[in-house]
Amino acid sequence: TVDADSLGRAFYCSAADSTTVFAGLTLTNGLSPDEGGAMFCEDSFLTLMNCAFENNRARNEWGHAYGGGISFDFSSATILDCTFTGNTSSSGWPHGSASGGAIYMWHSDAVISGCDFSDNCSVDGGAVSSESGDTLFISDCVFSENPGNYGGALYSGETVLEDCLFVGNGFGGSHGGGASLGHGSTVTRCTFEDNVAEFYAGMWLRS
């Protein structure tokens, strides 16, 4: 277990190659003033396996905050059998934005499979937010009780979503209590239960 004790993030990865693997780690109580509460990765290719991200925060008092658990910039990730619990990204600035309570991706792509996301919180994508990236592949994941405004659990562009459960996400805010997905997305054998939003409680497919 790596307990950052709210003193900073645990890991920074730059130009990591595809042989980089994080396995069996618990990362907790990380804190970043902008992005990647527990881990920030840029220009990297890496795999996460059987890891737990717990109670990590990205909190920016005067600007934007991204990825309470992990933030990826111009990277590619494979995330397998991990748990994300109680991670948050938030802004104290009235004009600030916050995205991806657990995971945020900017110009990045990922395969996420067999993961559990619970009690993560942000404005866009309470659990996962992906912007300006390639297709996101998510399979066999559970998203439960993640509050977010646009995309209670998931806010993303083009996404392939298979065999996932979305239950109890959102908080009655704007659009897509369970998920908000971009044009060209496909959803196969997924279940949406008891998600809440002002519009499209289950899922919002944007044009």
Side-chain angles (χ1 to χ4, degrees):
T1 297
V2 180
D3 187 345
D5 198 25
S6 297
L7 298 175
R9 70 168 67 96
F11 290 102
Y12 167 66
C13 302
S14 179
D17 64 25
S18 58
T19 64
T20 304
V21 178
F22 292 88
L25 293 176
T26 296
L27 305 181
T28 185
N29 296 320
L31 176 64
S32 168
D34 43 32
E35 58 181 315
M39 180 182 293
F40 175 56
C41 302
E42 59 181 352
D43 301 309
S44 294
F45 299 82
L46 71 158
T47 297
L48 298 168
M49 299 175 60
N50 298 301
C51 292
F53 291 78
E54 301 172 353
N55 302 316
N56 300 288
R57 295 177 293 147
R59 171 70 177 177
N60 194 334
E61 295 296 340
W62 303 106
H64 311 306
Y66 307 106
I70 316 171
S71 183
F72 296 102
D73 284 12
F74 299 96
S75 296
S76 181
T78 300
I79 304 172
L80 306 174
D81 302 316
C82 294
T83 61
F84 297 83
T85 308
N87 304 285
T88 63
S89 63
S90 60
S91 172
W93 184 41
H95 303 290
S97 63
S99 299
I103 299 174
Y104 177 76
M105 287 171 284
W106 173 254
H107 287 282
S108 299
D109 62 85
V111 173
I112 303 173
S113 182
C115 295
D116 188 278
F117 297 85
S118 61
D119 298 310
N120 304 285
C121 181
S122 188
V123 177
D124 297 336
V128 178
S129 178
S130 175
E131 298 181 290
S132 303
D134 295 327
T135 302
L136 178 64
F137 294 87
I138 302 178
S139 64
D140 299 295
C141 291
V142 177
F143 296 84
S144 61
E145 306 293 335
N146 301 284
N149 192 31
Y150 286 92
L154 170 64
Y155 183 93
S156 60
E158 185 175 349
T159 304
V160 175
L161 199 59
E162 296 181 347
D163 300 302
C164 291
L165 172 64
F166 292 78
V167 57
N169 301 287
F171 59 80
S174 188
H175 293 68
S180 174
L181 308 179
H183 178 73
S185 296
T186 61
V187 179
T188 306
R189 297 183 302 275
C190 292
T191 300
F192 294 81
E193 296 179 353
D194 300 324
N195 302 286
V196 293
E198 184 177 359
F199 303 101
Y200 320 116
M203 178 173 56
W204 179 31
L205 289 173
R206 308 187 309 275
S207 59

